[in-house]
Amino acid sequence: MLVTYEELTSEAKVLIYPGSRKLYPVELPEIEQELTNFSQELDGIDICFKLEYNRFIVFIISEETPLSLEQHNLLVGFVQELEKHFDLTLLDKVNVCFKQGQYVQMKEIPDFKVLIKNKGVSKKTVVFDHMINTKYEFENSWEIPAEESWLSHFF
């Protein structure tokens, strides 16, 4: 069942799918409708979604109604369909997403290392940690300085 973000506790499960590009304004209504339809069809699951920075699709799932393996597979299949339909990558969580001014960028790790070397990013650059697990972590640890992330050893 589709619920509001506020209804879910800090222990709710978070799944983040970073887009390989920014979602275009013309795409957003269709994507939001697809996300709404999918979330409403998940019987017995309290779930909500957020579109962050027009680039990240975030699902938040109540810890009281966790996804079964079958439902998780449905979710991944749904995300794969979004990838095909909108010609973007959402399932690659290894790339580095970071803020450059008001923009969110995505780079492969070797390219991010080049940015470090050329001083295009610093230890203070805000990066996104897609491996967080809970709503609490999403609210408090998703956006952090690179020096506090797994990328710190590159500096």
Side-chain angles (χ1 to χ4, degrees):
M1 172 183 6
L2 186 60
V3 298
T4 66
Y5 182 80
E6 295 73 27
E7 290 178 78
L8 297 171
T9 70
S10 61
E11 294 303 312
K13 174 81 172 155
V14 170
L15 300 169
I16 299 173
Y17 297 95
S20 55
R21 64 168 173 79
K22 185 174 181 177
L23 301 171
Y24 302 119
V26 68
E27 296 172 323
L28 290 174
E30 183 179 356
I31 290 172
E32 286 185 24
Q33 189 59 57
E34 292 286 332
L35 291 166
T36 298
N37 292 346
F38 176 79
S39 297
Q40 289 174 334
E41 291 170 6
L42 278 176
D43 290 333
I45 302 299
D46 291 338
I47 187 171
C48 74
F49 66 86
K50 292 173 103 36
L51 286 172
E52 294 288 329
Y53 297 101
N54 291 344
R55 187 161 202 141
F56 304 96
I57 297 174
V58 182
F59 288 100
I60 305 96
I61 303 156
S62 172
E63 76 282 4
E64 296 175 9
T65 58
L67 292 177
S68 67
L69 180 58
E70 180 182 334
Q71 290 165 324
H72 186 268
N73 289 341
L74 286 172
L75 176 63
V76 171
F78 169 73
V79 171
Q80 288 172 326
E81 287 301 315
L82 289 177
E83 287 182 317
K84 288 178 196 168
H85 184 74
F86 294 99
D87 192 29
L88 75 153
T89 301
L90 291 163
L91 292 169
D92 187 353
K93 296 184 179 192
V94 178
N95 289 332
V96 180
C97 292
F98 60 99
K99 286 184 177 177
Q100 251 181 345
Q102 65 181 2
Y103 300 103
V104 174
Q105 304 290 325
M106 177 185 274
K107 297 285 184 194
E108 292 183 3
I109 292 173
D111 296 330
F112 191 76
K113 287 179 176 179
V114 169
L115 284 174
I116 292 170
K117 181 180 177 185
N118 295 335
K119 307 231 184 282
V121 295
S122 73
K123 293 178 181 182
K124 301 293 182 200
T125 298
V126 174
V127 297
F128 296 88
D129 180 359
H130 310 306
M131 302 304 171
I132 61 165
N133 291 305
T134 66
K135 181 180 172 186
Y136 177 83
E137 291 172 332
F138 177 69
E139 294 172 343
N140 296 285
S141 305
W142 182 47
E143 298 180 45
I144 56 175
E147 67 186 343
E148 296 176 21
S149 77
W150 66 273
L151 298 163
S152 63
H153 66 279
F154 293 136
F155 289 91

